[in-house]
Amino acid sequence: MAPSADHVQPWRFLVVDDPEVKKNLSDEVFSGIYSSSKFAGKAPVIIVMLAKLDVVANRIGKQIQGIHFYFIDMGIAGEHIVLQAEELGLGTCWIGWFSTKKTRKLLNIPRKYKIVSLMSMGYTEKRPSNEKKRKKLDEIVWFNKIENEK
Ligand SMILES: Cc1cc2nc3c(=O)[nH]c(=O)nc-3n(C[C@H](O)[C@H](O)[C@H](O)COP(=O)(O)O)c2cc1C
């Protein structure tokens, strides 16, 4: 149900739930400089978030607006997944720090699909806490005009 620019629905999801495929993937794509993301390989499911770019919405959007709309579209759709998973008692983690090159090679992903992110999913050992502080509203919101730097 996520919205998308010009309703192009660029999202495609490659769900990796075969333990062997998932192990090969996590061994490869979370190695070297990406090893801080290794924990994600412990989750039973990794979703590869792909975008199929639409010529009109993306090329024109980028040229005229200077914005890659598909990133916004993918973020919205991905966050819908996060919220629905939460509703079902599942935990997720967006993983942006992984080898896109190795992901493409290992899973044979055609070049027409942009690899945007990974998302791990599974039942969590502990429920998420609010330990990571969020900025306060007055640190991030202006009303009507920008008066001071935040
Ligand atoms: C686009 C994106 C990419 C992210 N990439 C990673 C990642 O590669 N590794 C990781 O551990 N967490 C990653 N995260 C998770 C954030 O670090 C995390 O959401 C943030 O620190 C807030 O923590 P919380 O979600 O536990 O409250 C990513 C989140 C987003 C939205």
Side-chain angles (χ1 to χ4, degrees):
M1 292 305 293
S4 54
D6 205 24
H7 198 41
V8 295
Q9 303 166 80
W11 42 74
R12 301 290 185 272
F13 305 102
L14 173 55
V15 179
V16 178
D17 63 353
D18 178 310
E20 208 182 308
V21 181
K22 200 210 62 184
K23 186 177 182 320
N24 288 342
L25 180 70
S26 49
D27 284 353
E28 282 285 314
V29 307
F30 302 141
S31 64
I33 59 165
Y34 301 108
S35 43
S36 64
S37 302
K38 250 192 199 328
F39 72 94
K42 286 200 250 161
V45 174
I46 293 179
I47 304 174
V48 188
M49 318 274 290
L50 303 169
K52 189 176 177 192
L53 299 202
D54 174 272
V55 176
V56 178
N58 289 292
R59 198 165 299 158
I60 295 178
K62 178 71 187 91
Q63 265 168 20
I64 298 177
Q65 285 299 95
I67 290 175
H68 284 296
F69 286 120
Y70 76 92
F71 279 135
I72 301 177
D73 299 341
M74 294 300 296
I76 297 171
E79 202 55 14
H80 280 207
I81 293 176
V82 167
L83 295 175
Q84 182 62 39
E86 182 65 26
E87 180 87 9
L88 296 170
L90 287 156
T92 53
C93 188
W94 284 89
I95 303 292
W97 193 240
F98 64 101
S99 167
T100 51
K101 268 191 193 157
K102 288 183 178 171
T103 303
R104 187 176 296 286
K105 198 163 169 216
L106 204 88
L107 297 174
N108 231 342
I109 299 171
R111 295 222 74 86
K112 70 174 143 193
Y113 303 112
K114 289 249 184 211
I115 301 173
V116 174
S117 180
L118 300 180
M119 186 183 289
S120 60
M121 184 181 283
Y123 290 99
T124 53
E125 282 167 12
K126 50 179 185 166
R127 300 304 303 147
S129 67
N130 287 331
E131 73 202 20
K132 285 193 185 163
K133 291 211 166 41
R134 257 58 183 183
K135 290 184 174 159
K136 297 197 181 70
L137 266 190
D138 65 7
E139 292 179 87
I140 57 171
V141 180
W142 289 285
F143 286 95
N144 305 310
K145 61 179 179 186
I146 294 181
E147 285 176 292
N148 49 356
E149 199 181 313
K150 292 190 187 261

